[in-house]
Amino acid sequence: VQAAILACFIVNQLSLWFFFILGSLLLSRCGLSLYLSSILLTVAMIINVPILRNTVYIQVNLLLMDFILAGVLLFKRNKMVSALSFALGAHLKVVPIFFLPVFLYTKKYSWLMYFFSTALAIILLTTLIDGGSYYIDFINNLGRWHTPALRSGSVYSLLVNTNRYLGTNLPVQLISTSVKSVLILWLYFLSFRSIQRRIFMRSEKTASDKVINGIIPLLFLMPVVSPTIWVHHLVVLIIPAILLFVRLESPRYLFFFAIGYFCTFLLPVFDWYPWSYLRLCGWMILLGLLSYVILNPVVPRWVQVLDGKLNLLVHDMVKEWNVADTLVVANKRVESHPMKEPDVALK
């Protein structure tokens, strides 16, 4: 048991580092320099309640994001490995399955064939090793939800606990299902519109660019679909939040972004009705701003200026370091091989 716990801890810590590396690479693919991408992701990860909950309680959500990010980044180079990465992610949680319409919409039929083949191989392999109880339990538990905690930032939880604490008789299933259905359809609409308008990838019209444009909005499906959203689930929204931030120009929208970001990623965890649902309000605000960005695409001038100055600063620093290293090497050579003074003939 101790060995299994240690192994899970090590995998969890490695997934945190891989999330930073893969996330920075994806952000750099979306028009930002690698320097700015790394800085923004570092700031987002240093103080982040969902990441803290994932690392402390050893959750699989960071590993899930690693598989998703790797699958997206590898799509252009190796479709089979990309599909395998998504299949491994779907084995952890079903979220990657909701991304399949993007590949169907972009007519990536070979990738879909690889995905279903690798997913079936994973299912057969795990069934042979440990039986089919893992999948049977998952199917049996669908729809069997306990009373959600106050810290669960979902519409279903809000409705259930409103009836519980205020004594109302709201039709929970009807309202929850209706809201979810509308949000799911809206997210797929945003996804397809993002592909058409090349919101996050503007450089080239390649297949991988279309996949990135389509998947970024669909990361919001995890808090939308699940009836119980724990805080650690919201790590899936870190990359979309950063991409949203760099595409907002108006101070008014940046102010609303700050509110949504704080409630989603910085708000402490507590059980206090109705204030616990500020996190629900937070990711809903981010979703609303994402809708605005996709429907009104613009590349803010301040991001280009900041990125340019940062690249210039890094270039100057590297140049100074190279000069300093050259001087240090030259001084060491002089010290190791001092010049001999010429002999002076005595008269």
Side-chain angles (χ1 to χ4, degrees):
V1 177
Q2 294 295 329
I5 295 175
L6 179 61
C8 291
F9 175 79
I10 293 174
V11 171
N12 184 264
Q13 295 300 311
L14 290 175
S15 66
L16 178 64
W17 286 100
F18 276 108
F19 177 75
F20 172 75
I21 296 171
L22 296 173
S24 299
L25 291 175
L26 181 64
L27 291 174
S28 66
R29 288 279 302 276
C30 295
L32 303 176
S33 69
L34 188 58
Y35 304 121
L36 183 58
S37 301
S38 302
I39 291 174
L40 290 176
L41 191 54
T42 300
V43 172
M45 292 178 65
I46 286 178
I47 305 177
N48 193 295
V49 176
I51 284 185
L52 179 64
R53 306 285 289 192
N54 271 279
T55 53
V56 171
Y57 295 101
I58 313 181
Q59 299 293 323
V60 300
N61 300 285
L62 286 170
L63 186 59
L64 169 68
M65 281 301 299
D66 290 345
F67 283 131
I68 294 174
L69 294 174
V72 171
L73 292 171
L74 291 170
F75 179 81
K76 186 176 181 179
R77 293 181 177 272
N78 193 316
K79 289 183 174 57
M80 185 174 182
V81 178
S82 171
L84 174 61
S85 183
F86 272 91
L88 290 171
H91 182 66
L92 294 177
K93 293 193 173 183
V94 297
V95 175
I97 295 177
F98 293 103
F99 302 154
L100 297 184
V102 172
F103 297 94
L104 186 62
Y105 178 76
T106 53
K107 300 180 180 179
K108 307 306 172 190
Y109 304 121
S110 60
W111 186 95
L112 289 170
M113 181 186 67
Y114 288 136
F115 174 82
F116 287 115
S117 300
T118 52
L120 180 60
I122 293 172
I123 293 174
L124 292 175
L125 180 62
T126 53
T127 302
L128 289 174
I129 295 175
D130 196 37
S133 59
Y134 176 81
Y135 304 102
I136 295 173
D137 291 340
F138 170 76
I139 296 173
N140 291 335
N141 288 331
L142 289 176
R144 297 181 182 178
W145 307 106
H146 301 288
T147 301
L150 289 170
R151 66 187 65 180
S152 173
S154 66
V155 176
Y156 176 81
S157 173
L158 174 62
L159 296 172
V160 169
N161 285 301
T162 298
N163 285 344
R164 177 183 174 188
Y165 287 97
L166 300 185
T168 56
N169 192 24
L170 298 173
V172 175
Q173 292 295 341
L174 176 61
I175 298 177
S176 176
T177 303
S178 301
V179 172
K180 283 183 184 180
S181 300
V182 171
L183 289 178
I184 290 172
L185 292 175
W186 179 248
L187 283 171
Y188 278 115
F189 168 76
L190 292 178
S191 175
F192 299 147
R193 183 56 61 93
S194 177
I195 294 173
Q196 294 169 353
R197 295 189 174 184
R198 302 162 60 198
I199 300 299
F200 304 105
M201 292 291 298
R202 294 174 174 268
S203 58
E204 302 174 0
K205 293 183 179 180
T206 62
S208 59
D209 294 346
K210 294 179 180 180
V211 170
I212 292 175
N213 283 324
I215 286 181
I216 294 299
L218 295 184
L219 289 171
F220 276 86
L221 279 173
M222 186 167 184
V224 169
V225 172
S226 178
T228 302
I229 291 297
W230 300 108
V231 179
H232 49 257
H233 293 158
L234 297 177
V235 294
V236 301
L237 301 183
I238 294 176
I239 299 298
I242 294 175
L243 290 173
L244 175 61
F245 170 68
V246 298
R247 278 163 178 76
L248 292 172
E249 187 170 19
S250 170
R252 177 179 58 183
Y253 292 117
L254 288 171
F255 172 74
F256 284 114
F257 173 85
I259 295 176
Y261 187 90
F262 175 82
C263 293
T264 304
F265 300 110
L266 304 180
L267 190 71
V269 179
F270 52 84
D271 293 318
W272 187 15
Y273 182 89
W275 308 113
S276 297
Y277 294 102
L278 286 174
R279 201 174 305 277
L280 169 63
C281 297
W283 67 260
M284 291 289 279
I285 290 173
L286 296 180
L287 177 55
L289 291 173
L290 180 72
S291 303
Y292 170 78
V293 165
I294 292 177
L295 298 178
N296 303 276
V298 64
V299 179
R301 177 67 178 167
W302 68 268
V303 176
Q304 297 177 342
V305 173
L306 176 63
D307 211 352
K309 289 184 177 180
L310 179 61
N311 285 324
L312 183 61
L313 176 63
V314 173
H315 180 269
D316 292 341
M317 292 175 62
V318 171
K319 186 176 180 180
E320 291 179 2
W321 288 339
N322 290 335
V323 172
D325 289 341
T326 303
L327 292 176
V328 170
V329 172
N331 290 333
K332 287 183 178 179
R333 288 179 178 177
V334 171
E335 292 175 357
S336 59
H337 301 285
M339 295 181 64
K340 296 181 179 180
E341 296 182 1
D343 295 333
V344 178
L346 296 177
K347 295 183 179 179

